[in-house]
Amino acid sequence: MAQTSLLQGKHFYCREWVFHKLQHCLQEKASCGGGAANKPSLVANPGNNSGVVSAKGAAWGVLLVGGPGSGKTALCTELLWPSSPANLQRGLHRQALAFHFCRAQDSDTLCVGGFIRGLVTQICRSGLIQGYEDKLRDPAIQSLLQPGECERNPAEAFKRCILLPLLGMKPPQQSLFMLVDSVDEGCNVSEGEQTSTSLSGTIAEILASHFEFFPPWLLLLCSARKQSKAVTKMFTDALIRYLWHLA
């Protein structure tokens, strides 16, 4: 089942600059073609509370970081279920292909198999990618989505059930985004720092290790705590071009 936000229906205040920047990223996605290597380098950005991870490849995304209570989940919720005037949110929810909210208190939201099956269901129901459901009729893909099999081999399931079918589809008329809130949840923490081995098999690891298979028209938008430095590094090393900070 697709995960939802506990903040859905709450009124949203401020952070309009994020909507503007996200709209710019989606426009950039729409105009970008193939490029050079995806290897990024972190450089300063004089803009408001943000940094640029410079990457020229077609596969790149955005990481939103902030401390506990800084409004990361509230902002992600507003993107999907706007409560503010349309001119502030800019109608971005219409470009959401799929989403997932990770919650430390709910182990089901941290299950990689459930994450993958939830994305597949949402992409099918969105109606934004014509022909995607036809790709899923392949018996081999259906087998990978079965409970148990998806958990045993999540990397193969994520690649063959989501990314490769999307890569093979005709690009949509406008670029789309996939949102994963609190992507650092589920990573074991020791003295405020994750270890590299604790990231294996998590939602964060699955996303970061498959960046080269993301279609160029799909923007990955994730949020994480600024204290989760191992997760931040893993994403900026892989596919994140923009790093936005919530004060």
Side-chain angles (χ1 to χ4, degrees), residues 98-245:
F99 62 87
H100 187 85
F101 287 82
C102 301
R103 294 194 292 271
Q105 301 82 1
D106 186 349
S107 60
D108 287 345
T109 69
L110 308 180
C111 172
V112 179
F115 166 71
I116 293 170
R117 287 189 292 270
L119 294 183
V120 168
T121 298
Q122 290 180 71
I123 295 171
C124 289
R125 292 178 177 174
S126 72
L128 295 171
I129 307 297
Q130 299 300 317
Y132 176 74
E133 287 186 81
D134 295 335
K135 297 280 188 179
L136 298 183
R137 294 194 177 99
D138 185 330
I141 291 181
Q142 286 296 316
S143 176
L144 284 170
L145 288 173
Q146 294 303 309
E149 183 61 32
C150 197
E151 283 72 13
R152 280 190 294 270
N153 199 353
E156 189 71 5
F158 186 58
K159 183 171 67 174
R160 294 187 60 190
C161 302
I162 297 178
L163 298 181
L164 292 183
L166 291 179
L167 269 175
M169 307 306 302
K170 179 181 178 181
Q173 292 185 341
Q174 58 181 353
S175 53
L176 305 174
F177 68 90
M178 179 184 293
L179 184 152
V180 182
D181 180 51
S182 301
V183 71
D184 56 320
E185 295 289 6
C187 301
N188 295 328
V189 179
S190 175
E191 297 181 357
E193 194 72 30
Q194 288 88 349
T195 62
S196 59
T197 55
S198 71
L199 300 175
S200 178
T202 63
I203 291 174
E205 191 273 337
I206 287 291
L207 289 169
S209 62
H210 289 82
F211 71 96
E212 71 269 27
F213 296 107
F214 273 74
W217 47 263
L218 182 62
L219 176 73
L220 178 63
L221 172 62
C222 297
S223 74
R225 291 164 294 184
K226 64 181 180 181
Q227 293 88 349
S228 303
K229 294 181 180 178
V231 171
T232 300
K233 184 179 187 303
M234 178 172 60
F235 272 73
T236 53
D237 284 349
L239 78 160
I240 296 301
R241 177 179 291 184
Y242 294 103
L243 186 65
W244 299 342
H245 297 267

Side-chain angles (χ1 to χ4, degrees), residues 8 11 52 62 72 92 97 139 141-142 145 152 215 241 247:
Q8 188 175 350
H11 194 70
V52 178
V62 172
K72 301 182 298 297
L92 293 169
L97 179 63
I141 291 181
Q142 286 296 316
L145 288 173
R152 280 190 294 270
R241 177 179 291 184

